[in-house]
Amino acid sequence: MMKWLSTCLLLLTSLSSSAAVDIQKDTLYPQVEFDTSMGKIVVELDRTRAPLTVDNFLTYVVKGEYDNTIFHRVIAEFVVQGGGLTTKLEERPSLEPVVNESGNGLSNSLGTIAMARDNDPHSATRQFYFNLGDNKKLDPSKRRWGYTVFGEVTQGMDVLEAISLVPTEHNTTLNWPDFPVNTVMLKKATLLPR
């Protein structure tokens, strides 16, 4: 009996915690503000074209999972990537991967936000990137999956351009290239009111 009560209590707790996460399911174009160490960026997401990706991304935002992370990959005129590492270079935990929605008609063009992933097309979890150029080679083709674009920058393009120009190096701890010499923080990501 006690085991059954514990199981019920655990189930109710998990249901109430997931119900408490308001990702504005009824908003087709939600907006998120990124407060970075170099200024603010606002993006408008497109739930009509990438509903699974937007819901996934907003779950991380609303739970505060992007707060105090770093931008760990910066390539001028290409991408600024972040969302997965702490300042101690530790990977943040991820939810289940999201289904690739790259065939949604949105292109990896200048000023858009998209999901980073591994070689597996359906491996995107929490890391995202901003396109700092027209990166059509990241779009899907008849022979390959692309990278899912799910929104665009509406404010702060100058901030992104400044981030894209910071000096970078090969990080020996992670064995990653294009790592900023000085930390560029994502202090807080906020889902803006409707």
Side-chain angles (χ1 to χ4, degrees), residues 27-77:
T27 304
L28 296 179
Y29 302 99
Q31 294 190 336
V32 172
E33 179 183 80
F34 297 87
D35 184 8
T36 79
S37 56
M38 294 182 68
K40 294 192 177 185
I41 303 160
V42 177
V43 295
E44 181 179 84
L45 308 180
D46 191 339
R47 194 175 255 131
T48 65
R49 299 284 186 97
L52 301 175
T53 305
V54 169
D55 287 357
N56 174 70
F57 181 77
L58 288 179
T59 300
Y60 286 108
V61 169
V62 172
K63 288 185 171 184
E65 288 291 322
Y66 289 129
D67 300 354
N68 300 310
T69 58
I70 63 170
F71 291 100
H72 64 272
R73 184 175 181 226
V74 173
I75 305 172
E77 299 180 7

Side-chain angles (χ1 to χ4, degrees), residues 31 33 40-43 152-158 160 192:
Q31 294 190 336
E33 179 183 80
K40 294 192 177 185
I41 303 160
V42 177
V43 295
E152 65 182 331
V153 176
T154 57
Q155 294 174 39
M157 203 56 208
D158 58 327
L160 269 177
L192 297 177

Side-chain angles (χ1 to χ4, degrees), residues 96-129:
E96 290 297 312
V98 65
V99 173
N100 190 308
E101 296 178 298
S102 63
N104 62 16
L106 298 176
S107 178
N108 280 273
S109 56
L110 176 66
T112 57
I113 184 172
M115 292 304 293
R117 63 172 174 81
D118 295 327
N119 288 334
D120 176 352
H122 306 292
S123 60
T125 55
R126 64 177 297 135
Q127 290 190 28
F128 59 88
Y129 64 90

